[in-house]
Amino acid sequence: MRAWCLLSSLSMALVGGHATAADSPASEGLITYCSGPFAYLISPDGTNKVQLAHARMALQDVALAPDGVTMAWVRGTAFISHVYVQVDAATTMAVDVIRGRNQRVGCLGFRPDSSALLYSGGGRVVLVDLPSCRTRVVARGDRGQWVAGGPQFIYETGAREEDEEIGLHLASVEGGPDELVVPYGCQAVVSADGARIAYRMPFASDDPRVYIMELASRQSREMDQSTRFDRPLAFSPDGGLLLVDRADLSGDALCFQLCVLDVATGGIARLHSGSTETYEAAFSPGGQRVCFAATVDGRRMLHTVSVDGQGLSIVAPDDGDVRSPHWRQGR
């Protein structure tokens, strides 16, 4: 099905729009993000901005596959979400519709070989085989994420069913039994090599803490015991650093801090602070910079900053309501 909402193909945007690694002055790749009904690709210095899609409704998420052509995005409202996949310059498929209040689709993730897409919505983890766009439910839960691009994935369950095991599960898209690896764990992020996961625990608690588990040994350790309400966001490409969003309750007003945590030492450094939470964040492919969405003067803006806290900048000052910033390797 040809998508009425696509304004330009991704392959033309990357070549015709000159948003390539060779043309970009930045060596850290390109950033994708949503702003209102638009999806964009941009260099981290704010140049080479290319519009990828226009969905008429607000775009909730966008993701580009490693092949540089395949793209997925989600559009919708608080009551309904539509999932689309573009498999080539001429073909875009509507693969799913999720209805229900606050049933936001999340965790769009492509396999490294671009052969499949994994996403979560409506209490399901869904696999999309590519390029056929055939879909199948692989788990009942939320926040499905690939483990090192193989057949395994992590997902989260809450208390939807009376006999449901709450926590983080390890499963395979090829079938077989699921394993409850972290009872009452939630909001997990997976390192690129699949060696570890960071998560919050306990589930639905007023006093959650961040833990890191080595998946091979199933051993977990609590990180930064001095603070509460941290939320893990993303691992660095080598798995040595972890971005966390921290709610600082020590002052008169609630303050949120985007911090980078050293996995080996537990050392932590602040990258940004503000009156609202950091919505999403990601490391650059080289691990030296971070992109994230945070509110400035009532507008959710796209920011970048070095991992040492230097060079904080707003990349696209004309765009507000920024969602789903992802840093990908330039092509």
Side-chain angles (χ1 to χ4, degrees), residues 290-306:
V290 171
C291 68
F292 62 96
T295 300
V296 178
D297 296 329
R299 302 176 66 213
R300 190 183 305 172
M301 310 289 281
L302 176 64
H303 296 68
T304 63
V305 65
S306 296

Side-chain angles (χ1 to χ4, degrees), residues 199-219:
Y199 59 93
R200 297 178 83 185
M201 198 179 78
F203 185 90
S205 169
D206 291 333
D207 186 17
R209 302 296 177 95
V210 173
Y211 294 78
I212 292 180
M213 169 183 279
E214 304 296 330
L215 273 176
S217 64
R218 302 295 194 268
Q219 296 297 308

Side-chain angles (χ1 to χ4, degrees), residues 27-160:
S27 61
E28 286 279 12
L30 305 169
I31 299 170
T32 62
Y33 66 98
C34 305
S35 177
F38 301 98
Y40 296 104
L41 183 72
I42 196 169
S43 296
D45 62 358
T47 62
N48 296 317
K49 181 179 176 181
V50 175
Q51 182 180 302
L52 299 178
H54 176 198
R56 296 187 183 177
M57 292 184 188
L59 280 168
Q60 300 170 351
D61 203 352
V62 63
L64 304 182
D67 65 8
V69 175
T70 311
M71 178 169 66
W73 68 91
V74 182
R75 68 175 178 88
T77 67
F79 299 95
I80 186 169
S81 297
H82 301 260
V83 184
Y84 292 87
V85 176
Q86 176 186 322
V87 294
D88 57 44
T91 307
T92 300
M93 304 291 290
V95 299
D96 202 356
V97 179
I98 296 97
R99 292 179 172 85
R101 186 171 181 82
N102 297 322
Q103 293 290 336
R104 181 179 173 182
V105 179
C107 294
L108 291 175
F110 286 96
R111 265 185 161 173
D113 62 2
S114 304
S115 66
L117 170 74
L118 200 67
Y119 69 89
S120 305
R124 308 161 301 148
V125 181
V126 180
L127 178 76
V128 184
D129 290 310
L130 299 171
S132 69
C133 286
R134 289 192 299 267
T135 64
R136 55 191 172 99
V137 176
V138 292
R140 296 288 177 180
D142 298 296
R143 298 180 59 84
Q145 300 171 72
W146 294 109
V147 176
Q152 289 187 313
F153 63 97
I154 289 282
Y155 72 97
E156 175 184 319
T157 56
R160 287 193 175 87

